[in-house]
Amino acid sequence: MESFASNLRLRTKELGIHQADVARRAGLSEKRYSNYVTGRREPDLATVVRIAKVLQTTPDRLLSFGDETEAEPIAQQRIRAAIGVLSPDDLETVAIMVEALASKRHAGGG
């Protein structure tokens, strides 16, 4: 399961998420998640699925099964992963900001 532990570390680094945030979002204690990241313990399948969802990837990819290529850019994956913890008001603010940026780009503003 060392590849699983390594994949967890790599994915959190790619997304810029702290291990404590992943643990919280997956409904795990920090200690339990830390055991997975260090390879001391192996999660059950349901836990792998929850962690994969938080990390916006698949259980297969975390377990090193299948294709290693990512369909969306890392920045987009980071945004998608962060959305899960935002309040409806925060999501509305983010939507307005993204729309404003897209409008500026479309108008040739940079």
Side-chain angles (χ1 to χ4, degrees):
M1 272 312 227
E2 180 54 37
S3 63
F4 176 72
S6 178
N7 289 342
L8 288 179
R9 292 189 300 269
L10 176 64
R11 189 65 182 150
T12 55
K13 184 177 180 181
E14 287 175 344
L15 295 174
I17 301 174
H18 294 284
Q19 290 182 18
D21 291 331
V22 176
R24 182 178 42 79
R25 293 177 193 180
L28 304 169
S29 71
E30 287 183 45
K31 182 175 182 168
R32 182 174 171 192
Y33 184 75
S34 175
N35 283 331
Y36 302 148
V37 171
T38 59
R40 284 190 291 260
R41 299 264 190 243
E42 296 178 2
D44 59 32
L45 182 58
T47 302
V48 172
V49 170
R50 288 195 337 248
I51 293 169
K53 187 174 181 181
V54 169
L55 295 178
Q56 294 296 306
T57 191
T58 65
D60 283 353
R61 199 162 274 140
L62 288 179
L63 296 168
S64 295
F65 299 133
D67 187 17
E68 292 298 318
T69 60
E70 292 292 339
E72 26 177 42
I74 293 296
Q76 192 170 340
Q77 294 174 40
R78 290 175 58 198
I79 291 167
R80 189 177 306 284
I83 284 173
V85 297
L86 296 178
S87 70
D89 287 342
D90 290 340
L91 286 171
E92 181 63 27
T93 301
V94 169
I96 291 168
M97 293 169 63
V98 169
E99 288 166 351
L101 183 59
S103 177
K104 179 181 173 185
R105 296 278 187 239
H106 181 70

